[in-house]
Structure formats: C-alpha cells, structure tokens
Amino acid sequence: MRIKKISALVAIALSTSLVAGCDFYDEPPGDGGTDPGQPPVETPDVADVVASSSAELLSAIDTAEAGTVIGLNIDGSFENVGTIVINKAITLITSDADGAIDDPVENEQAILSGAVCIDIPTEAAEILRGGEQARISNLAFENIVMDSCGLGESTSNSIINIGKVGKDKTAVILDNLSFDGTGFEESTSDSAAWVYSRGLVNISDSVFTNKSTDAQSMIYLNCGSSASRGGSYANDLGSIMAGNIFALAEINANDATKAATIGVPSNLGQENKNCAATFTGNTFEKFGFLISETSDQSTALYDVFGDTTESDNTLTDGDTDPGVPPEAPDVVTTVAELHAAIDAASSGTVISLDVAGDFADAGTLIINQAITLQSTDSEGVVTETEQAIFSGAVCIDIPTEAAEILRNGNQAKISNIGFENIVMNDCGSGESTSTSIINIGKVGKDKTAVALENLTFDGSGFEESTGESDAWVYSRGLVDISDSEFVNKSADAQNIVYLNCGSSASRGGSNSDPRGSIISGSTFGLGADNTSGMTIAATIGVPSNLGQEDKNCGAEFTDNTFDKFSALISENNDIGTALYDVFGDTTETNNTVTGGGTDPEPTYPENVDEVNAAIQAATAGSTITLGASFEYSTGVITIDRAITLTGQTGAAISGSACIDVVDGAAGAQITNITFNNDAIAKCGATDDAKEAVINIQKVGEDGMPIILDNLSFDASNITEQDQIENKGAWIRSYGFINLTGSEFLSQSRNLQNDMVKLTCSSSKGRMGTLVDGNSFSIIGDGNKETAAVKIGDSSGGVIKNADNENTCAVTVSNNSFTDYTLEAVNDVGEGVRDAAIFARLPAESTNVFTGNTHN
C-alpha cells in the first residue's frame, strides 16, 4: 500500500528542517544521515531482510547493521516475541513475503501480540545520534500483555520503551502504528503507558484506540534527561506528536487516564525536567478537553510543566484547540448556589464563596472531586481580611469513596473559610461517619493529602458533643492543616483534631513508605483553662488500636501554638496535654505552649550509638537532630532509611566519626551539621565501605536523591597525609545526590584529599547528581593531585576516557571556587595540581558545568 502523507502541520512544527507536504516514505525531507533530527533516509521499495516468525525477527535484528530495513511479513506470526531490543539505527516495517514495502494489502499490517515489548535502551545513546535513527513503522499491536520493558533505571511498564536516547536532536521515529487496546492486559500504575520515553521521540500518523479508562497513559514522556530535548537543555524543541488519533474505549470518567502525560509530576519545580513537546494535528476522542497543567478528569494532555506547544488538535465534537478546562463558576452567595456548584464541578474547579454571602445551615457538603472551596469578594478576588462564614448545621464530608479520584496529586482543598455557631452532628456515611465539622474518609493515596488552610474555627458558640472521638476535624485519611485557627474550644468537649490512622490512606497509601499528616503554623486555643482532662488539641491514633501493626499515624506538628495547655505531648491522655500521641511516633518541632509554659526543651541523642538507635526506631520521613552540646567523634552513623539527620545550631561531627548512607535510604537528607574531623577513616561495615566523612553507597531512585544541604566542612584540623586513610574524601558518593548550600573550608594543596569525590561506576551514580550553590576554598602550598569536586576515576592524573566517566551526568552549577590553580580540567598535569573541578569536560561527556565562579 502507499503510506499516507504526513500533514503539512508537521512541517510547521519542524519548520527549521522539514519541507511541508513531502511524502513521508517516498521523498523524505532533508538528508537523515547528515542533518540530525530528520526522519530516516528514504525507505526502499524492498526490505533488506524479511522475517515471518518471532525467531526470524529476533535473528534479523541481532545480525542487522546500521541502516538495515527489516520487513515483518504481513502473513507472519509474531505472538509472544518477548523483548525486542533495538540498539542500532535500523527500521522495522510491514512488508509482504518478498519484502515489498509499497504494495501490501490495503489497511493491513503485520501484527505483534501477546507478551511483547520493543526496547530502545539508554545504552544505545551513542549509536542513535548524528542522524542515525531507529524507526518502527506500519505495525499493529493487538491483545498485548503489558509488563516491565527494558533494564536498569530506564525500565518502564510499556509496549514501546525508549531510554535516554536523542543526542544531536536525533529522535526515535514511530509512524503509522496501530494500537488496539480492546484485548490489552495493562497495568494501572501511575507511569504505565503504551509508549514510554525518557528520550526524544517523534510519533506521527498513528492510531491509539480503545484505551481502557481503568488504566493510565497512552504516551508518557519522562523528561528527566537532556536526551528528551535532543541532548541539550538549551534546545527548546522536544518530542513531536503529529497527525495521530488517540481514542478511549468509552467516555473518560477517570482523571488518571490520559492520551499523554507530559513530564513527571514529582519533578515539577525542578530545573531541566520539562519536555517542550509539540502536539500538532492530532485527534482526541472521548476526552472532555484538550490540555491542562493538572491531572484533571477527562483531560487528554496532562502538561505537567506547562510548556507544551499545541496547534490544530481536534476533539471529537469537531472543535479545534478547545483549550483549557472550563473557567471556575461565578462566585456563589447562597447555600443553594454552593450545592449546585459542587454538584456541577469537575476536577480542578475552584468554587469561590462570597464573603458577604449567607451560608447558614448548609447541611452536608460532599467533596468527592479534586476541587477547592475558598472565600473571595464578589469579584472572585481572595481577601486576607474577610472570610465566608459557615454556621448552624453544616459539615463538609470528603468520603472514602473518593479515594481513587483524590490521588496522584489530585487534591481537595478547603481554604480561607470561617466556622461560627456550629451545631455539630454526625457527618459522613457508613464506616467513615464521625461527629465532626470536617470529616475525611480513607483518602490519601500517592501521598495526596486533603488540604485545609487558613481556616478559622471559633468554638465560643458551638453546640458540640463530648464523645471520645468527636472532633472539629476528624480524619481517617491524609490531611495537611496549615495556618489555621482553632480557638475557644470548650474544656468540657473532646478533640479539636482527631487522626484515626487505621487505614494506610492516613500514611499516604503506603505502609512500607509512609507519609503521615502534617499540621503546621496553626493555633489551637481553649476557651478556659483545661481542668476536665478530656480536652485535647489532637488525638493522634486510636487508643484501642495501640499495639496493632500499621495503625500508627507518623504525623508531624511544626510551628504550632497551643494556648491554655500545660504540656505539649504525651503518650497518655494526661490532663492539660495538647497532643495525645497514642503510638508515640509523632514528630514535633518548634511548637509553643502558652498559658502553661513553652514547648519543653527537646532531648537529643548524646553520642553516635544513640543516633543509630534513634535511626533504627524511626520511620521514613522522621527527623533526628544532633545536639550542640554533645560530642559525636567516634563511630559510624548508618542511615538505611529516608530520614532527615539534622543538627541543632552548633552541632558538629568531629574526630574520626562519619556517616554511611546505605541501601534503603533513597530520599534521605543530611542538613545543618558542621564537620571538623581530624581524621578520615573507612566508613561503614559493608563491602562498599569507603574512606570518607560522608560515604554515599549505591543509593538513589528516580526523584529521590540523597539531599546534602547547609553543611559545613572545615579541613583545617587535618594537616598530615597519615590522618587520611587511603586518600579518603570528605564526601564520597557512588549514588545519586543533591549537594547544595554548603561550604568547604581550608582544603590543603599539600594533601591528596578531594572534598567531593563522585564515582560513576554504578548506575546510581549516573542518575543526574547535582552540586549547586556551594563554596570551596583551598590554602597553603603544595603540588598534590587534589580537587574540590572530582567526577569519575583517574589514572596518572587524567580522568579516564571510558563509558562510565563519559556518562556521569553530573551538574556542577552556581558554585564559588576560591584560590584553586586549575578551574575545570580532565588532566591535572604536572607542577601545581589542584583543581576546582577535575572531571571529563561537558564537551566530551554528559556532565554540565554552568554558572560557577573562580576567584
């Protein structure tokens, strides 16, 4: 058959290099071999080799050379092929048994089915560049059993998995493909997709149909690497999708199902993680609207970073460029208008309550979408001085039934509203009922909390019951409360906040990687001194659940004020205590008790053994603080979970003590500590123990580096080489770290001793380590080989020209280097040999050096 022509719109999107209206196969625009970023060179009339079975196809790929065109016989059988690895510049395309490409039967394609995936791995990045492209063309995918595809850090649950390839603007080409999801067995995980790409991909004239609304994206663009922008962060043109059809099997009622997720939601706010993708001339069926920067229900394109270019795209109603979700409804002024607005709302809607409106006796308001209720003036402008007021019989219920909607960043929020003269009663339904004003069911998956912010509760006129679990805010899920006031609580009633943590939803949907509720910057005040012994600012956990597994809260209370309480926190329901911490796992910092004294002086671990004991007792997300008056001078602090190790002002690690960060600690943080060691010894008890003050082993996951921030390293106590075992470094990392805002003082030219040594032999060390905003200084005379930041291994004073060293992907940015002889070099030469940065240079590697100053 004659393959259909690509739309001239693609030529517009690629205007720097394409010619509008060219036939996509027969007359490709440009010369793909010399003009990087172009489609492959002209497709011949006959394939170089024809495969009629899975075995023949895998054999043909194995023996193919660059430029080979492999025809898949339209009458062949390609069921359960397994993983097809494309690591060279070849083309897979439908042909007949004789290899003819132009004239197969109309509307027929070779079909891949069952357990199959096509993997274009990151390891092919140096081959698939400079115009040397991989192409998959004119094939069909039916009755697919999706599973993990690829290896290492570039694995995904997908049918086509594309690693970090795309240098020199050389995209993987997918064109004229057909995906029929009717018989697919596919995952519902957040990033599962029919096509998953960490690199540069151009998809054109393809059909993605019958996508289940119980699953996730058709396309997922993970743009954490510069490969997704053609190998350069400076390039503002990423992947291009043109002339395709994206169709659901039914009307989309699930905000997780997308035609494309463009960017990784957890990367939002991070530099150089955006996609700069282009969508042109595509059709989207059974979606409500085209594009949004949030995961709104019925949105085709989830544009995480808001930098996608789209033009001439069509929804099935025939409108072009339908744009963003509908605007928020007008400001509501009555209870009836409020109920109507909530009933009509979709995910992302903001409902504004007029501060002059009447919201007495509003009854039960059910929030089962990711919407916001907030106070504004009559023009919809948020005011800091006035609030809309709920009074009388009213409760706000966020039910358990909304758990699948309120996840993956889709958050319900109640903001800037007051509650006065409330008549409390049962709120909610079924097992999630409570006597409360705000009732939150078992919602909170993917660590998506219900947000309550800038609320005001004045209990002076409340009619409330005295039940043990009654509360103004009752939550079985994950809730974040911030900058709110709970005042004039009756000392004859019970809780202001009650956290019932019987469900994993209260821990962010995970018992293995928990994240509890966070209450911060709020005021909790009684109307009179607490003499009854029953009134609590917060009950944290259900007393009858004590001793049971996975019933604890792991909550955090930070920067709150508790008025008319005599003590802050207790594991018993003591008279006058603000926080009843049933399971004893609450983290609290900088809270103040007024009218009954201030927050008691915290206790700190007094030595390294006690620090390790505290870590072993901690859960992920906990903070352990070193005290300024204690000595931590011998032994190894072992971090094996995602905790924060920080220091009271003045806290220091000295002597030969060190920190060893081991498997399980991805996402851990080390902050606000001074290191003034007089010895650097082997740190750790595993095979990966190394000589360092901070030793980062092969640790780190996507989006979860080890955070090192606001640290101070003073090398002035080390004056002799024998104080440094085996030329150890102050920080040595085989993993994925972010080192920011720290200072490194008094490095010596007369000692072979790097301040920061990054080793890239592990894939964890090549995940995109960042060294940003730090200061380094060197003193004295000498000619030892030494560096402020060393990246990779060296031999004879030269960084090795090897794959590991060339793909370290370390960014060194915005640092200041004072008095270093050499700036950024890969060879320290002879004579004075101290360097600010000793590494493979950006021009010859994936390292990035930018914004650094050398004084």
Side-chain angles (χ1 to χ4, degrees), residues 418-722:
F419 298 83
E420 298 178 2
N421 301 313
I422 297 295
V423 179
M424 285 177 59
N425 210 324
D426 283 352
C427 189
S429 60
E431 65 178 23
S432 293
T433 304
S434 68
T435 301
S436 59
I437 304 170
I438 299 178
N439 179 62
I440 300 168
K442 298 174 183 178
V443 300
K445 293 181 178 181
D446 308 313
K447 299 182 173 64
T448 303
V450 172
L452 309 180
E453 61 183 24
N454 293 292
L455 304 181
T456 301
F457 294 77
D458 182 356
S460 56
F462 284 10
E463 296 179 22
E464 52 182 322
S465 69
T466 59
E468 291 182 359
S469 62
D470 298 344
W472 293 356
V473 176
Y474 186 103
S475 179
R476 288 177 168 84
L478 192 65
V479 60
D480 289 349
I481 304 173
S482 62
D483 302 312
S484 295
E485 290 188 3
F486 303 83
V487 297
N488 293 316
K489 173 72 175 177
S490 169
D492 294 323
Q494 295 287 318
N495 310 275
I496 296 175
V497 174
Y498 193 106
L499 301 180
N500 177 340
C501 304
S503 164
S504 64
S506 68
R507 291 174 292 282
S510 171
N511 292 322
S512 60
D513 181 23
R515 184 281 219 201
S517 296
I518 300 173
I519 294 84
S520 62
S522 297
T523 299
F524 299 84
L526 300 178
D529 287 338
N530 184 12
T531 58
S532 69
M534 65 169 59
T535 307
I536 303 292
T539 295
I540 310 162
V542 179
S544 62
N545 287 342
L546 185 61
Q548 299 179 41
E549 189 175 3
D550 293 333
K551 302 290 185 180
N552 60 306
C553 292
E556 297 181 22
F557 282 75
T558 304
D559 297 314
N560 302 287
T561 298
F562 300 90
D563 188 26
K564 295 187 173 64
F565 292 92
S566 59
L568 178 65
I569 190 167
S570 173
E571 294 180 27
N572 301 297
N573 192 8
D574 299 321
I575 293 177
T577 300
L579 303 178
Y580 177 13
D581 181 21
V582 174
F583 282 78
D585 70 333
T586 298
T587 301
E588 66 83 13
T589 54
N590 299 322
N591 298 290
T592 302
V593 179
T594 63
T598 58
D599 186 5
E601 182 68 23
T603 59
Y604 304 103
E606 297 186 7
N607 52 49
V608 167
D609 288 341
E610 290 190 8
V611 174
N612 284 326
I615 293 172
Q616 291 308 301
T619 56
S622 299
T623 297
I624 296 165
T625 304
L626 306 184
S629 61
F630 299 109
E631 184 175 287
Y632 309 96
S633 59
T634 60
V636 178
I637 296 172
T638 302
I639 298 178
D640 61 356
R641 60 203 68 190
I643 56 100
T644 294
L645 181 67
T646 190
Q648 186 187 24
T649 300
I653 288 176
S654 59
S656 61
C658 67
I659 299 173
D660 189 27
V661 183
V662 303
D663 188 44
Q669 302 186 39
I670 304 172
T671 68
N672 199 41
I673 298 172
T674 294
F675 298 83
N676 49 30
N677 300 61
D678 58 18
I680 299 177
K682 180 172 285 190
C683 189
T686 70
D687 291 341
D688 290 324
K690 294 295 178 184
E691 298 77 11
V693 175
I694 298 179
N695 179 47
I696 312 292
Q697 296 195 20
K698 299 167 185 175
V699 182
E701 305 295 341
D702 281 341
M704 297 178 65
I706 304 301
I707 301 296
L708 308 177
D709 182 63
N710 193 30
L711 304 176
S712 178
F713 297 83
D714 183 356
S716 60
N717 290 329
I718 296 182
T719 58
E720 302 293 335
Q721 193 70 49
D722 61 10

Side-chain angles (χ1 to χ4, degrees), residues 54 57-58 61 72 78-85 92 111-119 139-150 156-161 179 184-185 193-194:
S54 299
L57 173 59
L58 295 175
I61 293 171
L72 279 71
F78 303 100
E79 182 177 4
N80 297 324
V81 180
T83 300
I84 300 170
V85 179
L92 302 187
I111 297 172
L112 295 168
S113 64
V116 62
C117 82
I118 300 176
D119 180 36
L139 300 176
F141 298 85
E142 298 179 3
N143 300 313
I144 297 295
V145 179
M146 284 176 59
D147 207 339
S148 180
C149 188
S156 69
N157 195 306
S158 59
I159 303 171
I160 298 178
N161 179 61
F179 296 79
F184 283 11
E185 295 179 22
W194 292 356

Side-chain angles (χ1 to χ4, degrees), residues 158-233:
S158 59
I159 303 171
I160 298 178
N161 179 61
I162 300 169
K164 298 174 183 176
V165 299
K167 293 181 179 181
D168 308 318
K169 303 179 184 178
T170 304
V172 171
I173 297 295
L174 310 180
D175 65 271
N176 290 280
L177 304 180
S178 298
F179 296 79
D180 182 355
T182 304
F184 283 11
E185 295 179 22
E186 52 182 319
S187 165
T188 59
S189 63
D190 290 345
S191 59
W194 292 356
V195 176
Y196 188 103
S197 179
R198 289 177 169 86
L200 192 65
V201 58
N202 290 348
I203 306 175
S204 63
D205 297 317
S206 294
V207 179
F208 301 79
T209 61
N210 292 313
K211 173 70 173 178
S212 168
T213 57
D214 293 326
Q216 299 282 327
S217 307
M218 299 180 195
I219 297 172
Y220 195 109
L221 302 180
N222 177 340
C223 304
S225 162
S226 64
S228 66
R229 290 175 294 286
S232 171
Y233 291 125

Side-chain angles (χ1 to χ4, degrees), residues 254-256 400-407 410 443 445:
N254 179 2
D255 55 18
T400 296
E401 290 71 22
E404 291 303 316
I405 296 173
L406 300 177
R407 65 183 300 182
N410 296 313
V443 300
K445 293 181 178 181

Side-chain angles (χ1 to χ4, degrees), residues 265-349:
S266 61
N267 286 343
L268 184 61
Q270 299 182 41
E271 189 176 4
N272 294 329
K273 303 289 187 179
N274 60 305
C275 291
T278 299
F279 282 75
T280 302
N282 302 284
T283 298
F284 300 91
E285 296 182 8
K286 296 186 174 65
F287 290 94
F289 48 88
L290 180 65
I291 190 166
S292 173
E293 293 178 29
T294 55
S295 185
D296 298 310
Q297 183 174 309
S298 201
T299 303
L301 305 178
Y302 177 12
D303 181 20
V304 174
F305 282 77
D307 70 334
T308 297
T309 299
E310 67 86 15
S311 62
D312 298 314
N313 297 291
T314 304
L315 296 184
T316 50
D317 59 8
D319 292 336
T320 59
D321 287 341
V324 298
E327 293 184 2
D330 293 334
V331 177
V332 299
T333 60
T334 67
V335 168
E337 290 176 351
L338 175 58
H339 277 280
I342 292 172
D343 289 343
S346 60
S347 185
T349 298

Side-chain angles (χ1 to χ4, degrees), residues 785 793-801 826-829 838 840:
E785 177 190 315
D793 294 329
S794 62
S795 177
V798 180
I799 300 293
K800 296 176 181 178
N801 182 6
N826 60 14
D827 182 349
V828 293
F838 184 25
R840 295 292 288 171

Side-chain angles (χ1 to χ4, degrees), residues 789 817 820-825 834-838 841 853-855:
V789 180
F817 299 94
Y820 288 88
T821 304
L822 306 172
E823 293 185 1
V825 294
D834 60 280
I837 305 172
F838 184 25
L841 302 178
T853 59
H854 299 271
N855 304 310

